[in-house]
Amino acid sequence: MSKRASLISLFVLLNMAIGRMFQESLGATCFSELFIIAITSFFFWNVSAQQIKKWGNKWTISSSGNNMLIQSGLGLSVSALNIIIGHILAALLMTVVYQRTSPSFDVLNASLTNNIAVNLLCYFLLLLFLVDSKKGEIPTTTPSKNIAYNNRIAVSKKGFQFLLSPEEVIYVETSNNCIILHTKKGRFVKYQSLKTFSKNLCPNTFKRVHRSYLVNSDLIERIQKNHNGDGVLHLKTGDDIKFSRTYLNTITNT
């Protein structure tokens, strides 16, 4: 908060200095007008900060050229709004309180006294300051395996979107060009390979037990082997899943 206020104060002072020079070039200086505009600008940018932060997170300027154009348009709009509000207040106070007309109050003079370029620069620096700088950083330490596999699983059914935690998945089976997730909330279909899907899950918990099945090993109750080495996994949920002897070591090393 204090850093943001200091940054805004710096631009307010810069704006006052430029506005003062412009007024002197016209031969009509009015410190009261500059002071009113400065106070208005300080409160305006502080109040607008949260909205600017939301825009910065929604349209990240580093992600695409279109986002840069959107932010430029927003910056010009917000700067223009600040100028309009500042000069309306200045005009009211000058006419009501001081009972005289501001020497620079017209559209062109307003945009130079309360400099639009400085306002636009203030917008973009606030944007860079407010948007989380750590958002795209790569961690310097290697994350643990438990952290790496905490992603929730996005699925859809009958037009509704669901986010499942990995613990809700009982087992996954392949079916033609898709996979079927058997979960505690029902069955869901995803159009991807079993191998690709398994990369998003913790390998210590989810075991490949057959070329067509991936099982949550925490739910394995008992293993029933046949004479040829293949067999059936009996799950705590009551489901029976066949396994291949190729994956037997993977299953038993849980």
Side-chain angles (χ1 to χ4, degrees):
M1 176 67 180
S2 59
K3 290 183 179 179
R4 185 184 74 194
S6 299
L7 180 64
I8 293 171
S9 298
L10 180 65
F11 278 95
V12 167
L13 292 172
L14 177 62
N15 204 17
M16 281 186 72
I18 294 174
R20 181 73 173 181
M21 287 188 291
F22 172 70
Q23 287 185 345
E24 286 178 351
S25 71
L26 296 177
T29 58
C30 181
F31 185 77
S32 297
E33 179 189 20
L34 294 173
F35 182 75
I36 294 166
I37 290 171
I39 295 298
T40 305
S41 293
F42 179 81
F43 284 103
F44 177 86
W45 288 116
N46 273 291
V47 170
S48 303
Q50 287 303 314
Q51 186 59 51
I52 293 171
K53 184 177 181 179
K54 290 179 182 177
W55 289 338
N57 289 324
K58 186 174 182 180
W59 296 292
T60 309
I61 56 177
S62 59
S63 61
S64 70
N66 287 338
N67 285 358
M68 186 65 184
L69 289 174
I70 291 170
Q71 289 293 355
S72 297
L74 290 171
L76 283 170
S77 301
V78 174
S79 299
L81 182 61
N82 179 37
I83 291 169
I84 292 168
I85 292 173
H87 279 275
I88 287 175
L89 288 175
L92 287 173
L93 289 172
M94 294 293 288
T95 54
V96 175
V97 178
Y98 297 103
Q99 296 183 346
R100 61 191 180 88
T101 306
S102 168
S104 61
F105 189 70
D106 61 47
V107 175
L108 178 60
N109 288 347
S111 63
L112 292 172
T113 304
N114 190 358
N115 195 278
I116 192 164
V118 176
N119 276 279
L120 191 58
L121 183 60
C122 182
Y123 174 87
F124 275 103
L125 284 182
L126 276 175
L127 191 67
L128 295 172
F129 175 77
L130 293 169
V131 174
D132 188 4
S133 60
K134 296 180 181 179
K135 195 173 182 180
E137 289 182 1
I138 299 173
T140 54
T141 56
T142 304
S144 66
K145 289 185 177 180
N146 290 334
I147 295 174
Y149 298 101
N150 277 339
N151 295 329
R152 300 180 76 183
I153 303 163
V155 293
S156 60
K157 188 175 185 180
K158 296 181 180 179
F160 293 95
Q161 297 290 326
F162 299 89
L163 285 175
L164 304 174
S165 61
E167 294 78 16
E168 293 179 286
V169 178
I170 301 169
Y171 69 95
V172 186
E173 66 174 315
T174 59
S175 177
N176 297 323
N177 63 336
C178 65
I179 57 174
I180 301 173
L181 280 69
H182 296 260
T183 76
K184 297 173 183 178
K185 292 182 178 178
R187 299 198 313 168
F188 299 92
V189 176
K190 287 182 73 71
Y191 289 91
Q192 64 181 126
S193 69
L194 191 62
K195 182 178 180 181
T196 302
F197 179 76
S198 65
K199 290 179 181 179
N200 297 320
L201 301 171
C202 178
N204 294 329
T205 303
F206 288 88
K207 305 287 187 179
R208 189 74 176 264
V209 300
H210 189 275
R211 64 185 180 87
S212 300
Y213 291 98
L214 183 74
V215 171
N216 184 341
S217 62
D218 290 340
L219 298 177
I220 297 175
E221 188 171 53
R222 58 192 176 91
I223 301 171
Q224 180 181 343
K225 289 194 294 184
N226 298 329
H227 64 279
N228 61 354
D230 296 339
V232 177
L233 297 174
H234 299 278
L235 306 185
K236 296 176 183 177
T237 57
D239 297 291
D240 295 332
I241 308 297
K242 63 182 179 180
F243 70 87
S244 171
R245 61 180 178 273
T246 308
Y247 299 96
L248 183 58
N249 288 335
T250 303
I251 299 168
T252 54
N253 292 332
T254 301

